[in-house]
Amino acid sequence: MSNDKRPLAFLHIEDDRIEAELVADLLRQTSFAGVRLVQRTRVGLGIEALQNERFDLVLLDLNLPDGDGIDNLHRVRAVDERVPVVIMTNIEDENTALELVAKGAQDYLVKRELSPALVSRTLRYAMARQAADLRLRESERRFALAVAGARDGIWDWDLDAGRTWYSPRWFDILALDAEAALPIPETWLDRVVDEDRAGLKKALEAHLDGLTPHFEYEFRMIDGYGKPQWVLARGVAVRGADGQATRIAGSLTDITDRKTTEAMLVHEALHDALTGLPNRNLFLDRLDLALRQFKRDRSRKFAVLFLDLDRFKSINDSLGHAAGDALLIEIGRRLGKFVRPGDSVARLGGDEFAILLGDVAGLAEATLVAERLHDLMSQKFIIAGKELYATASIGIALADSKYERSADMLRDADLAMYRTKRRRSGSYAVFDNVMHETALARLELETDLRAAAQRNELAVYYQPIVSLDHMRVVGFEALVRWFHPVRGLLAPDDFIPLAEESGSIGQLTWWVMHEACRQTRAWQLSDPTLAELSISVNVSSRLFSEPDFAARTQAILEDTGLAPAALHLEITENALLEHEAETVRELSALQKLGVKLHLDDFGTGYSSLSYLNLFAYDTLKIDRTFVTGSANGGRDNRIVDALINLGRVLEMNVIAEGVETQEQAQKLRDLNCGMAQGFWFSKPLPSDSAHALLQRELDVARSSIRNLTRH
Ligand code: C2E
Ligand code: MG
Ligand code: MG
């Protein structure tokens, strides 16, 4: 019973001295001879001894002067519940002794029938049995604690008897009444939802048949409220010698939270956080399904509508992102209410939405829907207390068996949208194959363009800018040309917009700027009279907002040795429309360097005058359209006059563009326009021709000087 080396101690409570002696004598003849034997004649005294000392066994007489029978046993147990008790009884009281054994005594000995062997065996067994009992009780208590404390429910299924035990927590998890439940497997199995039953059965059988090392399965059970609830059951079978499972026990875990989180993650992965609508992935999935159905049954026609809001960026910029978000949410809501049950609305990102029209007879119906969508969008929105109107451009693609992937069909709807937006926003277009060809051609051109600089296909042409006072070339405008290996010479209008859209405009601009600066510096060095020659380089508006624009320009100047004042950057009015703050910052940095800024194509862009106010340009370039009509007198003439005066008032130089006739040049001189440029002076020239032109001009000048000095 104990591991310590303390000698065994027995307590013998017996009022009859002879009996006491007899027992002591008997013990001496057994292996217990060395035991410390303490003898007491009253229960009270025995209890006292028990309180003072630990005993390994108590021999308890049934009838004592101060108590008897069951009462004595209780009193002993009250002091020490672990000590084994052996009852000493007379033959007449054997039944009482038996009763006491049932109540917790370990055994009994009948006086006068004692022999050393019997005593020895009885006491030994009593101690061993008590030790085993204690261990069992300990382990039961541990189990009870574990079961009570566990978050999991515990179950134990006796397969042979067909009975199952469930822990209180098991019932808790399922909100079931433990009292009302029967201890049979059906209590569990009958509550499994139908869809999960087959899977659970399979998992259970696989383990019982020995195919899996343990049983584990996630499934739903109908709880006490009648609701399905996610649980995880785990278990291990106990097997007989033949390997047959006789019993299986395990746990039941409530996995509602995890399943909810999982469901949320799945939802998040497939939905747009802002509007709660399906996202591109989910939309493509649904489109896939529709395509597959269509391929099986051509009567199941459908269409995809691709919506892109017009001017969403300016709404965002002027009213703030919160308002932009609110508008998107509201549009999502409207679209959600607009569509029919078989349709599907998604937000693809940004200001793009898509609709899958599940059942459309054909093109006519799809375009009708597009028109109704326009009406829907044209109803006013109230965002942050403000009235707002939105329009969208819509592209339509119809189901076609040529589509292998849903992404292709969505791309075509996107292309159609793009096409209509380019022509006129707030309208719709249906995808056709011509669009596809155009898009492919564009894509090809885009790819070619990226490689054009490395392949030496780009060239800078130079168009002289002439001072009207002296009729001398004061500088050049650099105009890029592309010698396409297949298409031949391409003008900027054929590829600059493409470069702007595809993002390769930066690369192109830096190449042109570097080449033009290098060339101009070379010309400047070729003759002292050319030292002031300037070069104008066109820069796309979107580049000005790039954070290192000014720094990169400076690097080019340093690399080529051109003075900053000789570099003139031509900007169209629209430059300041977007990213105003960033653009102003870069432009100011450039001006500080000494670089000159020209406002190009003046008069053709947005409300021109207000933009003059935003930034101090050095030079105004009057657009060709005004110059063309100016020589005939009339309205254009007065506009040119007004623009020249405007330049004077704002202390800006003025360059008139597109001068094609002598009359125009003369008129501009009369109006005191400082500089001009145009075919009448010279077309844009390749660098060697431009150099030749400079040479000729110098020769003319020098010969006239020689002529002067000769006289
Ligand atoms: P822009 O800056 O207004 O350039 C003047 C355009 O007018 C040039 O067309 C030029 O060839 C043309 N032009 C000049 N004089 C006359 C004339 O008397 N009559 C007529 N009808 N046209 C004349 P180009 O070279 O085709 O360039 C077109 C536009 O492409 C340019 O307009 C400019 O905005 C842009 N561009 C040209 N090169 C570059 C470049 O390197 N980078 C960027 N971003 N844009 C460029
Ligand atoms: Mg220009
Ligand atoms: Mg221009």
Side-chain angles (χ1 to χ4, degrees), residues 109-121:
L109 285 166
V110 180
K111 296 177 185 178
R112 309 208 207 293
E113 288 182 359
L114 301 176
S115 70
L118 179 65
V119 168
S120 170
R121 200 178 62 226

Side-chain angles (χ1 to χ4, degrees), residues 157 159 201-212 215 236-239 243-248:
W157 181 352
L159 295 163
K201 192 161 167 260
K202 211 170 134 205
L204 252 174
E205 280 171 359
H207 179 60
L208 294 178
D209 292 348
L211 302 175
T212 52
F215 154 72
V236 182
V238 176
R239 294 172 198 282
Q244 275 289 319
T246 56
R247 177 178 170 184
I248 175 167

Side-chain angles (χ1 to χ4, degrees), residues 477 538 570 600-602 621-624 657:
E477 174 169 5
N538 293 284
E570 297 201 354
D600 203 358
D601 302 346
F602 187 72
K621 294 191 80 170
I622 301 176
D623 191 69
R624 180 170 86 231
E657 290 188 85

Side-chain angles (χ1 to χ4, degrees), residues 189-208:
L189 301 178
D190 286 353
R191 292 197 162 265
V192 176
V193 303
D194 291 342
E195 299 97 296
D196 297 349
R197 193 164 288 146
L200 171 65
K201 192 161 167 260
K202 211 170 134 205
L204 252 174
E205 280 171 359
H207 179 60
L208 294 178

Side-chain angles (χ1 to χ4, degrees), residues 130-206:
Q130 174 68 348
D133 271 4
L134 282 175
R135 275 200 301 275
L136 180 63
R137 235 181 296 156
E138 192 55 36
S139 113
E140 272 179 352
R141 190 176 311 159
R142 211 176 286 136
F143 177 70
L145 274 174
V147 166
R151 292 181 27 144
D152 293 350
I154 309 289
W155 49 272
D156 183 358
W157 181 352
D158 182 336
L159 295 163
D160 295 335
R163 306 203 45 96
T164 312
W165 174 84
Y166 305 101
S167 75
R169 176 73 187 133
W170 190 95
F171 292 105
D172 267 9
I173 287 175
L174 295 164
L176 293 177
D177 182 2
E179 307 290 300
L182 294 174
I184 52 174
E186 285 73 20
T187 296
W188 166 7
L189 301 178
D190 286 353
R191 292 197 162 265
V192 176
V193 303
D194 291 342
E195 299 97 296
D196 297 349
R197 193 164 288 146
L200 171 65
K201 192 161 167 260
K202 211 170 134 205
L204 252 174
E205 280 171 359

Side-chain angles (χ1 to χ4, degrees), residues 614-644:
L614 273 174
F615 204 80
Y617 295 95
D618 302 284
T619 301
L620 203 74
K621 294 191 80 170
I622 301 176
D623 191 69
R624 180 170 86 231
T625 46
F626 303 112
V627 175
T628 305
S630 67
N632 328 328
R635 197 174 161 75
D636 282 339
N637 191 17
R638 289 202 297 279
I639 292 179
V640 171
D641 189 17
L643 293 178
I644 292 169

Side-chain angles (χ1 to χ4, degrees), residues 594-606:
V595 171
K596 303 287 183 232
L597 302 177
H598 291 191
L599 188 53
D600 203 358
D601 302 346
F602 187 72
T604 59
Y606 292 82

Side-chain angles (χ1 to χ4, degrees), residues 6 68 141 172 240 254 262 277 324-325 343 390 403 411 418 448 491 559 569 600 604 617 636:
R6 182 179 62 87
D68 58 3
R141 190 176 311 159
D172 267 9
D254 177 357
E262 276 174 13
L277 291 176
D325 284 356
D343 300 345
Y403 290 123
R411 179 210 57 210
Y418 180 74
D448 288 352
D559 190 45
L569 297 185
D600 203 358
T604 59
Y617 295 95
D636 282 339

